[in-house]
């Protein structure tokens, strides 16, 4: 009973099957976020992240932030609608900027980001944005993975004006670059489980006002462009 109480007070819920659940970020804050413990801690020479989300925010915000002791933006996804509707994909403190077209993130959106030594890319509801001339980078060191805030230092430095407000679900990460077919499978609602972050067996800690809610349609069908 004491152990359960301590876990509840700390916000640690352990490994949980999150199917039919979502993460709700109700307010702008510098203290509300989810810390995820990866299933694998290793050096990465390629990786991918997929998620579904929606938000009514009209300012910049972070969707995914992984840092190490040496690289604040080891792997990060950042949206900036105020600057030409741009999306930033950062790996090992290097970034590629993608100018989006006609995206409405107020509706449920399916997103995948992937990178390796030759190609970095975003799939947003099936639309592909990619860069072929990319730096050959690696990620090494103990990762700190945060959802809902941008890390401006390792595991911290949060700014409420970069915080996410909205809902997320179906977050998975792999230690490989997904193929186009893999990502189209994700958009087609096939249940794909990551080997670094697995939504069906998620190790996480809630902080601040983030809550878990039921999701009546855990794999929303989105139109593939």
């Amino acid at each position: 009973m004491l152990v359960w109480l301590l876990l509840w007070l700390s916000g640690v819920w352990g490994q949980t099957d999150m199917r039919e659940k979502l993460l709700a970020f109700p307010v702008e804050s510098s203290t509300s976020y989810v810390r995820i413990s990866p299933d694998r801690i290793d050096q990465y020479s390629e990786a991918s992240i997929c998620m579904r989300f929606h938000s009514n925010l009209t300012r910049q915000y972070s969707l995914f932030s992984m840092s190490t002791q040496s690289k604040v933006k080891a792997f990060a996804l950042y949206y900036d609608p105020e600057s030409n509707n741009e999306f930033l994909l950062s790996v090992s403190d290097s970034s590629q900027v993608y100018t989006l077209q006609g995206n409405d993130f107020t509706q449920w959106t399916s997103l995948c980001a992937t990178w390796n030594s030759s190609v970095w890319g975003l799939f947003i509801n099936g639309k592909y944005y990619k860069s072929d001339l990319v730096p050959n980078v690696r990620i090494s060191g103990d990762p700190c993975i945060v959802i809902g805030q941008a890390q401006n230092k390792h595991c911290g430095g949060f700014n409420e004006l970069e915080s996410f407000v909205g809902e997320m679900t179906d977050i998975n990460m792999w230690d490989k670059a997904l193929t186009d077919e893999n990502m189209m499978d994700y958009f087609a609602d096939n249940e794909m489980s990551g080997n670094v972050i697995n939504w069906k067996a998620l190790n996480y800690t809630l902080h601040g006002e983030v809550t878990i809610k039921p999701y009546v349609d855990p794999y929303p069908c989105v139109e593939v462009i």
Side-chain angles (χ1 to χ4, degrees):
M1 182 68 179
L2 178 59
V3 172
W4 180 90
L5 179 61
L6 291 173
L7 290 173
W8 182 83
L9 290 172
S10 66
V12 178
W13 296 84
Q15 190 177 77
T16 305
D17 186 345
M18 293 288 285
R19 285 175 294 182
E20 301 186 8
K21 298 182 177 68
L22 60 79
L23 298 172
F25 300 79
V27 295
E28 185 176 274
S29 166
S30 63
T31 57
S32 295
Y33 61 97
V34 180
R35 174 81 182 271
I36 295 180
S37 298
D39 292 335
R40 297 185 62 180
I41 298 175
D42 202 352
Q43 178 172 279
Y44 300 90
S45 58
E46 54 186 282
S48 303
I49 179 81
C50 290
M51 64 178 65
R52 308 185 202 275
F53 73 98
H54 71 92
S55 174
N56 291 322
L57 289 173
T58 57
R59 58 156 174 80
Q60 58 190 354
Y61 55 86
S62 172
L63 283 167
F64 180 85
S65 178
M66 183 171 90
S67 74
T68 65
Q69 289 286 357
S70 61
K71 302 291 184 181
V72 174
K73 292 181 174 61
F75 190 13
L77 297 173
Y78 194 88
Y79 178 53
D80 187 357
E82 300 171 315
S83 179
N84 298 319
N85 199 29
E86 291 179 346
F87 208 106
L88 278 71
L89 169 58
S90 299
V91 182
S92 194
D93 286 350
S94 296
S95 297
Q96 297 292 312
V97 179
Y98 302 91
T99 300
L100 306 186
Q101 301 173 359
N103 294 98
D104 180 10
F105 294 150
T106 63
Q107 306 299 314
W108 276 108
T109 298
S110 294
L111 165 71
C112 288
T114 188
W115 64 272
N116 59 25
S117 60
S118 58
V119 177
W120 295 15
L122 296 174
F123 264 67
I124 301 177
N125 284 352
K127 185 175 179 59
Y128 196 16
Y129 303 85
K130 70 175 181 177
S131 301
D132 295 317
L133 300 176
V134 293
N136 186 4
V137 295
R138 292 177 179 268
I139 300 172
S140 59
D142 187 16
C144 179
I145 298 177
V146 169
I147 304 295
Q149 299 286 347
Q151 297 181 65
N152 294 300
K153 63 179 183 181
H154 186 51
C155 290
F158 305 140
N159 182 338
E160 65 180 27
L161 297 180
E162 298 176 308
S163 64
F164 176 78
V165 179
E167 296 177 332
M168 290 189 192
T169 190
D170 200 15
I171 303 169
N172 289 278
M173 180 178 170
W174 296 261
D175 61 354
K176 65 179 182 178
L178 295 182
T179 66
D180 296 0
E181 291 77 14
N182 292 152
M183 289 183 280
M184 293 306 289
D185 280 344
Y186 179 84
F187 294 131
D189 303 337
N190 294 334
E191 296 187 25
M192 297 172 58
S193 298
N195 65 339
V196 178
I197 297 174
N198 182 356
W199 192 248
K200 298 177 186 176
L202 193 69
N203 289 292
Y204 65 92
T205 310
L206 299 181
H207 295 265
E209 298 186 57
V210 183
T211 59
I212 296 175
K213 293 184 176 181
Y215 194 10
V216 294
D217 184 8
Y219 301 102
C221 183
V222 297
E223 179 183 358
V224 176
I225 299 172

